[in-house]
Structures are given as structure tokens and as C-alpha cells.
Amino acid sequence: MRRPLTALTIAVVFATSASAADFVIEPTTVPVMKSVFGQVQSRDTLPARARIGGTVVEILIDEGDAVQFGDEIANVVDEKIALQLDAINSRQAAIEAQLENARTNVERARKLFERGTVAKTRLDEQQTAFDVLQNQLDAIEADKSVIVQQAKEGTVLAPASGRVLSVPVSQGSVVLAGETIARIAGGGYFLRLSLPERHAAGIKQGDEVTVGARGLTPSDDGEKLTTGHVAKVYPEISDGRVTADVEVDNLGDFFVGERTLVTIPIGSRETLLVPRPALMTRHGMDYVTVLKGDEETEVTVIPGESFTIDGEDFIEILTGLRAGDTVVAP
């Protein structure tokens, strides 16, 4: 019976009897895996910049903190803004006083005109003087709005949701408009791999990879392993290496720039596989029972890698078996 593999092609033909199962071994195509270190990268690294120049009077975040888009992370104060605001408030108060006097003159001139005491030109002059002062007041209020907005822009906001990578300034620092107050890593994380050029043709977008636990050493604990897939293979080879990005869920606990072990398929090869129960070990030697004619004979073999196919465990046989051999397993 032919049994399909996920992303592989394998054929294992077998017949069953009352006491044993006979497997006719055929060449099997298996992936060639390579372990490399992947580096955690953030999709976006955005600077939170000061919108005005001044003195940093308050920093509300620290490296490693999680922030949301629009959160207040620092305050920058320009003392000249307060002086400008005081000056424009004084100008506004003076114009408002003149405007109130002009309004009184207009009302007086209108009453005198209605009695026929003054000419129409006198009323027009008073009305024009009032309109000029009103326009001056409107201009002052517009200038005041600009200054108030500048004062509000002293609040530095998070440009994206994510984690704070660095805060290159400290409280009391003098900064210019546009200077970076903090760097935010946002948009989620992925793994970036760099492999030798000879593997470029074997890496395909969508290939499944295995990602180890945190740390730079392999882990034999399957519960600590996770899987991902190749999201992008960059078309440019630089310094003899090809770059690929791997998407993995739940990388939020990793540090940006942290490295972890990634096992990625770089090609395929043919080998012989037998079910794991068929392999027996005695006195440090590995044996497989082979059916030759009507007799069962134990053959010494050298096993290789293990593979799981459709939920069943198989073991690679490096030497001792040939294609077409019939293996007997309990």
C-alpha cells in the first residue's frame, strides 16, 4: 500500500500475516535539514521624536517597556514659549480694551446719527475703527493658538504600539526639534536567517521550519520547539549569503536581536526508511530482521536520522539494507 507524505513522497509496501508484518523497502525522498541561527527582528523600528526644541523635563518610559500608539512617553519644555504666551496675552488684553472703547464710540455715533446731530461719515469712521481692532484681535487669537499648539507639541507620543528599544536622552537633556527621544519596535517580530549561497536554490517560500527554545543550544524537549514557515526569500545574495525571513507565532518574549536555533529544509535526498519497531539493539549493535526466501535473518545495520510520517516513527538505515529487501517487524 502506498502512503502519501506531507511535503514528501514515500512508498512503503507491506503485507501482513498472523504474527508479523513484512515491509518491502523502497527509496524514500526525505528533506535535507540544516540548523542555523535566526536573529529576531521587528517589522518596524520607529523613532519617537521631539516636535519642538527645548529641555526634557520628564521621561515616562524605560528600555523594555511596552507602549501603545499615542501614549505619552516624555515631555519637552521650551521656556521661550511661556514668555511668548505671556506677551501675546498682554497684547490681547490691550486690544480687547481698545475694542470695548471702540464699541462704545460706535454706539454713541449711531445714536447721534439717528438724531441728526452727526454726519454719516462720522459713524462710518467709528465703525471702521471698530472693525480694524476686531480683526487685530482675531489675528492675535490665531497667533495665540499657534503658540498653545507649540506648547502641546512638547509632549512626545509613541508612534506605534510595541516595546521600547532604547532611550538615548535623559531628564534635563537639551534637544532640538526632530531629535530622537526613544526607539520603538512595533509591528510584531520575525526571524531573519542568513545561509550560504549554495543553499539558495533549496530554500522555498512556504517551507516549514522548526524553531528551538530561547538560547543558543539545541533542545531535545519537543514541547519547547515550535514551528514556523519561510515568509520571504530575498533575491539578492550579499557576501556569499542568502537572506530569508521566517514567520513564527509568539515571539513577543524574545529580545530584538536575540538569536535562536532554526532548522530549515535546504533540499532533498533519497534514503531507506524502516519503521522504528523493526530496529532492535543488543549489546550496542543494531539489527533488522530481513526475510530471505522463507527464512528470517538478522542483519546488522547502522541507523541514521529519525522521521515522523503520518504520525508513525521511521528510522533511516545508512548501511546494511538495499532497496527491495523485505523487513520483518513485530
Side-chain angles (χ1 to χ4, degrees):
M1 182 178 67
R2 299 182 64 85
R3 308 181 67 180
L5 279 183
T6 303
L8 299 175
T9 303
I10 180 174
V12 180
V13 181
F14 65 92
T16 59
S17 62
S19 60
D22 299 341
F23 298 84
V24 178
I25 305 303
E26 295 184 2
T28 302
T29 301
V30 296
V32 178
M33 308 298 291
K34 182 176 179 62
S35 294
V36 297
F37 286 114
Q39 191 172 44
V40 178
Q41 300 285 342
S42 61
R43 290 186 178 86
D44 303 313
T45 302
L46 303 176
R49 300 184 184 276
R51 292 177 289 178
I52 64 172
T55 303
V56 180
V57 297
E58 186 179 24
I59 297 179
L60 304 175
I61 46 90
D62 201 356
E63 288 85 349
D65 290 349
V67 296
Q68 298 297 319
F69 173 76
D71 282 354
E72 182 178 338
I73 63 176
N75 283 305
V76 178
V77 172
D78 184 357
E79 296 179 356
K80 297 189 298 296
I81 293 180
L83 298 177
Q84 291 172 357
L85 191 59
D86 290 341
I88 204 166
N89 283 335
S90 299
R91 288 173 53 199
Q92 183 180 9
I95 294 297
E96 286 176 347
Q98 295 177 28
L99 187 63
E100 186 62 30
N101 185 55
R103 182 180 293 108
T104 301
N105 292 337
V106 170
E107 292 296 329
R108 184 182 300 113
R110 181 175 292 109
K111 292 178 180 178
L112 293 176
F113 172 74
E114 291 174 353
R115 297 174 184 174
T117 306
V118 298
K120 181 67 166 57
T121 55
R122 178 61 177 172
L123 176 61
D124 293 341
E125 290 175 357
Q126 295 297 328
Q127 185 64 49
T128 300
F130 175 82
D131 293 340
V132 169
L133 290 174
Q134 182 64 58
N135 291 336
Q136 290 180 2
L137 181 61
D138 293 341
I140 289 175
E141 290 178 348
D143 292 340
K144 181 179 179 180
S145 299
V146 172
I147 296 174
V148 170
Q149 181 61 33
Q150 287 179 343
K152 291 181 180 179
E153 289 179 352
T155 301
V156 182
L157 305 178
S161 299
R163 296 175 67 187
V164 180
L165 296 181
S166 64
V167 184
V169 300
S170 59
Q171 187 170 334
S173 300
V174 177
V175 297
L176 300 176
E179 191 167 340
T180 299
I181 302 299
R183 291 172 56 244
I184 311 295
Y189 299 141
F190 65 92
L191 290 173
R192 177 155 292 171
L193 312 181
S194 180
L195 297 97
E197 179 181 352
R198 64 181 180 274
H199 301 315
I203 305 173
K204 301 292 187 298
Q205 185 172 340
D207 284 349
E208 185 175 282
V209 303
T210 302
V211 181
R214 296 184 67 171
L216 301 181
T217 57
S219 173
D220 294 329
D221 188 353
E223 294 182 356
K224 294 182 180 179
L225 301 178
T226 185
T227 58
H229 67 276
V230 178
K232 180 188 294 185
V233 179
Y234 289 85
E236 182 180 12
I237 294 178
S238 177
D239 296 330
R241 304 189 72 83
V242 61
T243 303
D245 290 343
V246 172
E247 293 282 354
V248 185
D249 294 333
N250 301 322
L251 279 178
D253 292 336
F254 281 74
F255 291 102
V256 175
E258 183 176 354
R259 295 190 299 162
T260 187
L261 198 63
V262 179
T263 304
I264 181 171
I266 57 173
S268 61
R269 59 184 175 87
E270 285 193 347
T271 189
L272 300 178
L273 298 181
V274 299
R276 179 171 289 278
L279 185 68
M280 300 173 291
T281 302
R282 293 196 303 271
H283 308 295
M285 301 292 290
D286 296 302
Y287 300 90
V288 170
T289 302
V290 178
L291 185 64
K292 293 185 177 181
D294 294 333
E295 297 183 356
E296 295 182 359
T297 304
E298 289 187 351
V299 177
T300 304
V301 296
I302 298 178
E305 297 183 40
S306 299
F307 297 90
T308 300
I309 302 169
D310 293 338
E312 299 181 19
D313 293 331
F314 290 82
I315 191 76
E316 177 185 15
I317 301 300
L318 301 178
T319 62
L321 294 180
R322 293 180 301 178
D325 286 346
T326 302
V327 175
V328 178

